[in-house]
Amino acid sequence: MEEHGLGERKLKILHGIIKTYLETGEPVGSRTISKYTDLNLSSATIRNEMADLEELGYIIQPHTSAGRIPSDKGYRLYVDMLIVEKEQELNEKQEQMLEKADKMEQLLKQAAKVLASSTNYATMVSTPVNNSNKIKFIQLSMVDEEQVIAVIVLGGNVIKNKIINLDEPLSNENLLKLNMLLNTTLNGMPIEEINLGLIARLKEQAGIHSRVVGNVLDAVADTIQIDEDMQIYTSGATNIFKYPELSDKQSAQDIISAFEEKQQLTELVTQTLAQEENTGIQVYIGDETPVQNMKDCSVVTATYELGDGMKGTIGIIGPKRMDYEHVLRSMKRLQNELDVMFHKKE
Amino acid sequence: MEEHGLGERKLKILHGIIKTYLETGEPVGSRTISKYTDLNLSSATIRNEMADLEELGYIIQPHTSAGRIPSDKGYRLYVDMLIVEKEQELNEKQEQMLEKADKMEQLLKQAAKVLASSTNYATMVSTPVNNSNKIKFIQLSMVDEEQVIAVIVLGGNVIKNKIINLDEPLSNENLLKLNMLLNTTLNGMPIEEINLGLIARLKEQAGIHSRVVGNVLDAVADTIQIDEDMQIYTSGATNIFKYPELSDKQSAQDIISAFEEKQQLTELVTQTLAQEENTGIQVYIGDETPVQNMKDCSVVTATYELGDGMKGTIGIIGPKRMDYEHVLRSMKRLQNELDVMFHKKE
DNA sequence: TGTTAGCACTCCTTGAAATCGAGTGCTAAC
DNA sequence: GTTAGCACTCGATTTCAAGGAGTGCTAACA
């Protein structure tokens, strides 16, 4: 994690300050710490240590005659210690808090809701996306004289469709040929290998019918390529109003529009998925966050997996004085639960 | 609309008060009206009239020494007048503000966004739902030994799928039979006619294979029935922060969670669609709204149609001092635009 | 040398009092 | 019926004083 070079005592004091501040949201003074910790030191001594901690950048004094609040650096140290500590106690007993829901979509929505209400922060859950997925099934069928429907199933049973409007008739015979061609060529193929070159070759092989066939192939390629199908479900955005430091108009507006417009959350997910961490859990404090709108918050993300290279992200957004302990625990639990659920379902 | 029995002059004064209040959001005094209107009356006279209007319940005095603000009743009168007035000028020239987007989903999202940014209110757009839709195409295909995919296309090109896990193998022959059966029976059938009785009859006809076949049929029926597929897209929820009267924590929280949880919006849509209005545009002021969380707002909804009985809803949520004129105009325009777009696309 | 008591000082918070001003209702005159 | 004039009301804003939490520093203590 990091060299901090703080003595035991300074560490304890810092810990005390952060812990207290997490609860109260008010700057914490020397007297409080003096009584709170088991150090048996007078407030004066604490004051001296605090002065040091401030100089080292771990805490901040909002104004001369106020107590201290943690800086981002302080939070960071605290969280890092916490993560180390928590990694020990793996495989914690996990209750089943999620009812079974037969649709994944429902399940994830519910997960977000449960997480939000159990933490009192804003949450998001993304549907899993495939960085490297394979085509499992592909088929064209006539709907009527003017329309063909393409159905494609990817690994993880992701289904994609497209209705293709024909501008000239396509014989049953040709449809059959096309289906054969598509199946022999594309079946089992990872989608990232499907590119313009391949499509061109396919068109060539399809031979003389190239105009209609070409259109159909283009449509198919298009359908596969577009992977905007990551959905993000959010819940508890209004929880931020529980924290005065995020409740002023500007902050609230920033955070909530990030939640509504989803664009920024998508980036957050992408970035999270890209980063390969051992535990799969990441904590962004203040400016560390990839989402500019949330620079006054802390963001905790976790990755869950489905196999087949499908991965999704869970996220919690709250004030910097977040109950990191609880959040990390909840995260880990949900992460496990999702893993279990999805592997059961396969 | 309603008997109000107000004289020309009182009406003009009320109109002036509302109009001014819409712009400023501040209680409006007699002097302002005296100067604003073309009545050429002194503030004293206006004051007398105002006292009358207050007694009649059209305006309210927040406290003794303040100007007047419109009551819900006042707004109602204003809006009703406006609607009558606007119905005259149908078929107004409409600009194309929406770029073509080939996916309906994209189109609707964009519509919400455009509407939000052009009005500065919060907006929602629902995807169309079918009260009475017909099956246009239905097909089962083998994905592999253990899975069958059902693809169903409804009128309006709504596509539904379901992957069905087989617990015992299904021969190609039987699959073929099933497909034939499904097509002869269900094709062209309105979905509301598909019920348990029909399914039972189908199962009977399918004969001896009843176990596998039964499961498949159940799954198909299930897929069709579930019409939770109405999506609601929202935009500009944070616009409410532009209006101080909706910016306090409680109101903001109420409104925004209604927007996030969608549940209440769904009810709003359902209710709107149920109500058959000539123009398709409805205005709910304050307590009139079906959504409890929005009782301090005005809600304007409009219905758009796709033919085939597919209908969707557009909604605008803003403060009671909404620019009704502009909103009604925008609504009507968007309504038309959507109609045009969708009918073009068929 | 590290710890602590004591004290002057800072500066935010709270609340009361003073002031301001927009707007009213009423009366009397036109 | 309309209007000018005036006393009055009452929320909003500003001002000011007190209160108090917390600090930094110094000097004494173990």
Side-chain angles (χ1 to χ4, degrees):
Chain A
M1 298 291 153
E2 189 188 340
E3 272 314 320
H4 51 76
L6 293 180
E8 173 89 7
R9 195 168 79 177
K10 281 201 173 52
L11 221 49
K12 264 195 177 159
I13 292 174
L14 180 57
H15 194 269
I17 293 174
I18 297 184
K19 202 108 184 213
T20 313
Y21 183 67
L22 293 189
E23 285 166 22
T24 64
E26 304 277 298
V28 10
S30 51
R31 225 178 100 78
T32 314
I33 294 300
S34 152
K35 285 193 294 184
Y36 178 88
T37 59
D38 49 357
L39 290 169
N40 278 0
L41 292 175
S42 77
S43 61
T45 315
I46 304 292
R47 276 204 289 284
N48 290 331
E49 296 288 45
M50 278 177 159
D52 290 354
L53 282 169
E54 180 162 18
E55 201 168 339
L56 291 167
Y58 291 104
I59 52 181
I60 290 171
Q61 206 173 13
H63 55 88
T64 10
S65 72
R68 305 302 213 288
I69 64 175
S71 68
D72 285 9
K73 187 176 171 187
Y75 281 126
R76 167 54 56 202
L77 182 60
Y78 175 76
V79 168
D80 286 347
M81 291 191 316
L82 217 56
I83 286 181
V84 172
E85 183 183 307
K86 288 302 156 197
E87 244 153 38
Q88 259 73 293
E89 47 165 282
L90 274 174
N91 293 329
E92 178 180 306
K93 182 78 187 165
Q94 67 199 29
E95 326 122 46
Q96 199 78 349
M97 34 190 324
L98 294 171
E99 294 166 32
K100 249 166 263 172
D102 44 29
K103 293 214 161 191
M104 181 178 74
E105 179 185 311
Q106 298 297 338
L107 180 73
L108 294 179
K109 273 187 194 171
Q110 212 192 336
K113 223 174 239 177
V114 168
L115 197 58
S117 81
S118 90
T119 59
N120 276 317
Y121 302 121
T123 62
M124 49 143 282
V125 175
S126 85
T127 53
V129 288
N130 39 21
N131 293 327
S132 60
N133 205 344
K134 288 182 184 170
I135 293 181
K136 193 166 155 188
F137 172 86
I138 183 164
Q139 185 175 58
L140 300 174
S141 311
M142 291 290 244
V143 174
D144 55 32
E145 290 76 30
E146 295 172 341
Q147 294 185 321
V148 168
I149 182 170
V151 178
I152 299 152
V153 182
L154 304 177
N157 287 344
V158 178
I159 307 173
K160 301 202 174 211
N161 313 287
K162 178 144 189 170
I163 290 213
I164 302 161
N165 288 305
L166 301 173
D167 43 1
E168 54 182 290
L170 183 65
S171 71
N172 261 324
E173 191 189 352
N174 280 330
L175 186 69
L176 209 64
K177 272 194 201 163
L178 259 180
N179 264 323
M180 266 177 36
L181 178 62
L182 286 174
N183 265 290
T184 50
T185 323
L186 298 182
N187 219 323
M189 179 170 282
I191 56 171
E192 71 260 32
E193 284 182 25
I194 298 172
N195 49 37
L196 287 179
L198 181 72
I199 297 299
R201 246 177 301 132
L202 270 180
K203 280 190 195 170
E204 225 170 86
Q205 286 179 46
I208 50 165
H209 329 284
S210 50
R211 209 163 110 42
V212 201
V213 171
N215 287 344
V216 172
L217 285 178
D218 282 340
V220 171
D222 195 41
T223 308
I224 298 173
Q225 302 268 345
I226 293 170
D227 56 355
E228 319 155 309
D229 44 17
M230 182 175 67
Q231 294 274 357
I232 293 182
Y233 306 118
T234 67
S235 185
T238 51
N239 276 336
I240 62 164
F241 288 115
K242 291 182 176 141
Y243 309 98
E245 65 268 47
L246 300 179
S247 298
D248 67 294
K249 255 185 214 181
Q250 196 50 53
S251 311
Q253 205 166 338
D254 285 352
I255 298 170
I256 289 171
S257 48
F259 262 71
E260 189 185 28
E261 304 293 351
K262 306 264 164 73
Q263 180 54 39
Q264 298 191 56
L265 295 183
T266 307
E267 277 166 37
L268 176 62
V269 170
T270 314
Q271 177 142 347
T272 302
L273 290 179
Q275 227 142 330
E276 276 302 325
E277 277 276 326
N278 36 0
T279 138
I281 295 194
Q282 285 169 70
V283 182
Y284 304 96
I285 296 162
D287 280 326
E288 297 170 8
T289 177
V291 179
Q292 193 50 27
N293 277 18
M294 296 177 178
K295 62 181 167 24
D296 296 327
C297 307
S298 277
V299 178
V300 182
T301 60
T303 304
Y304 67 90
E305 295 196 38
L306 266 74
D308 294 322
M310 302 282 285
K311 284 183 181 180
T313 297
I314 322 162
I316 290 188
I317 291 90
K320 291 201 268 196
R321 61 179 181 96
M322 176 183 278
D323 182 346
Y324 294 100
E325 250 181 290
H326 179 202
V327 165
L328 288 173
R329 210 176 317 118
S330 303
M331 272 299 206
K332 207 156 276 171
R333 190 188 315 143
L334 181 57
Q335 200 182 23
N336 284 336
E337 253 179 279
L338 288 179
D339 282 355
V340 170
M341 290 233 112
F342 286 131
H343 289 114
K344 242 192 238 149
K345 284 169 60 75
E346 292 284 316
Chain B
M1 299 289 155
E2 188 190 341
E3 271 314 319
H4 50 76
L6 294 180
E8 174 89 8
R9 196 168 78 175
K10 282 200 173 50
L11 220 48
K12 264 195 177 162
I13 291 174
L14 179 58
H15 195 269
I17 293 174
I18 298 184
K19 201 109 186 214
T20 314
Y21 183 67
L22 295 188
E23 284 165 23
T24 64
E26 305 277 299
V28 9
S30 52
R31 226 179 98 78
T32 314
I33 293 300
S34 151
K35 283 194 296 185
Y36 178 89
T37 58
D38 50 355
L39 290 168
N40 279 359
L41 293 175
S42 78
S43 60
T45 315
I46 303 292
R47 276 203 289 285
N48 292 331
E49 296 287 47
M50 277 177 161
D52 291 354
L53 282 170
E54 181 161 17
E55 201 168 339
L56 291 168
Y58 290 104
I59 53 181
I60 291 171
Q61 204 171 13
H63 54 88
T64 12
S65 72
R68 306 303 213 288
I69 64 175
S71 68
D72 284 10
K73 186 175 172 189
Y75 280 126
R76 168 53 55 204
L77 181 60
Y78 175 76
V79 169
D80 286 348
M81 290 192 316
L82 217 56
I83 287 181
V84 172
E85 183 182 308
K86 288 301 156 196
E87 243 152 37
Q88 260 73 292
E89 46 164 284
L90 274 173
N91 293 328
E92 177 180 309
K93 182 78 186 166
Q94 67 199 29
E95 324 123 47
Q96 199 77 349
M97 32 188 327
L98 295 170
E99 293 168 32
K100 249 166 263 173
D102 43 30
K103 294 213 161 191
M104 182 179 73
E105 181 185 310
Q106 298 297 338
L107 180 72
L108 294 179
K109 273 187 195 169
Q110 211 191 337
K113 221 173 241 175
V114 167
L115 197 58
S117 81
S118 90
T119 59
N120 276 316
Y121 303 120
T123 61
M124 49 143 283
V125 175
S126 86
T127 54
V129 288
N130 38 23
N131 293 328
S132 60
N133 206 344
K134 287 181 185 173
I135 293 181
K136 193 166 154 188
F137 172 85
I138 182 163
Q139 185 175 57
L140 300 174
S141 311
M142 291 289 245
V143 174
D144 55 31
E145 288 76 31
E146 295 170 341
Q147 295 185 321
V148 168
I149 183 172
V151 179
I152 299 151
V153 182
L154 304 177
N157 287 346
V158 178
I159 307 174
K160 301 203 174 210
N161 312 287
K162 177 147 190 169
I163 289 212
I164 303 161
N165 288 306
L166 300 174
D167 42 2
E168 55 181 288
L170 182 67
S171 70
N172 261 324
E173 192 188 350
N174 279 330
L175 187 69
L176 211 63
K177 272 194 201 160
L178 259 180
N179 264 323
M180 265 175 38
L181 179 62
L182 287 174
N183 265 290
T184 49
T185 321
L186 299 182
N187 218 323
M189 179 171 281
I191 57 170
E192 72 260 30
E193 286 183 23
I194 298 173
N195 49 36
L196 287 178
L198 181 71
I199 297 299
R201 246 177 299 134
L202 269 180
K203 280 190 195 170
E204 223 170 87
Q205 286 178 45
I208 50 166
H209 329 285
S210 51
R211 210 165 109 42
V212 201
V213 170
N215 287 345
V216 172
L217 285 178
D218 281 339
V220 170
D222 196 40
T223 309
I224 298 174
Q225 301 268 343
I226 292 169
D227 56 353
E228 318 157 311
D229 43 16
M230 182 176 67
Q231 296 274 357
I232 294 183
Y233 305 117
T234 67
S235 184
T238 51
N239 276 336
I240 63 163
F241 288 115
K242 291 183 177 141
Y243 310 98
E245 66 268 46
L246 300 180
S247 297
D248 66 296
K249 257 186 213 182
Q250 196 50 55
S251 312
Q253 204 165 337
D254 285 351
I255 298 169
I256 290 172
S257 48
F259 263 72
E260 190 184 27
E261 306 293 351
K262 304 266 165 73
Q263 179 53 42
Q264 299 191 54
L265 294 184
T266 307
E267 277 166 39
L268 176 63
V269 171
T270 313
Q271 178 143 349
T272 301
L273 290 179
Q275 227 142 332
E276 276 302 326
E277 276 276 326
N278 37 358
T279 138
I281 295 192
Q282 284 168 70
V283 182
Y284 304 97
I285 297 162
D287 280 326
E288 298 171 7
T289 177
V291 179
Q292 193 50 27
N293 277 17
M294 295 177 178
K295 63 182 167 22
D296 296 328
C297 306
S298 277
V299 178
V300 182
T301 60
T303 304
Y304 67 89
E305 295 194 40
L306 266 75
D308 294 320
M310 302 282 285
K311 283 184 182 181
T313 298
I314 324 162
I316 290 187
I317 292 89
K320 291 200 268 196
R321 60 179 182 94
M322 177 183 276
D323 182 345
Y324 294 98
E325 249 181 292
H326 179 201
V327 165
L328 288 173
R329 210 176 317 118
S330 302
M331 272 300 205
K332 207 156 276 173
R333 190 188 313 143
L334 181 57
Q335 199 183 24
N336 284 336
E337 254 178 279
L338 287 179
D339 282 353
V340 169
M341 290 233 109
F342 286 131
H343 289 114
K344 242 192 236 151
K345 283 169 63 73
E346 294 282 317

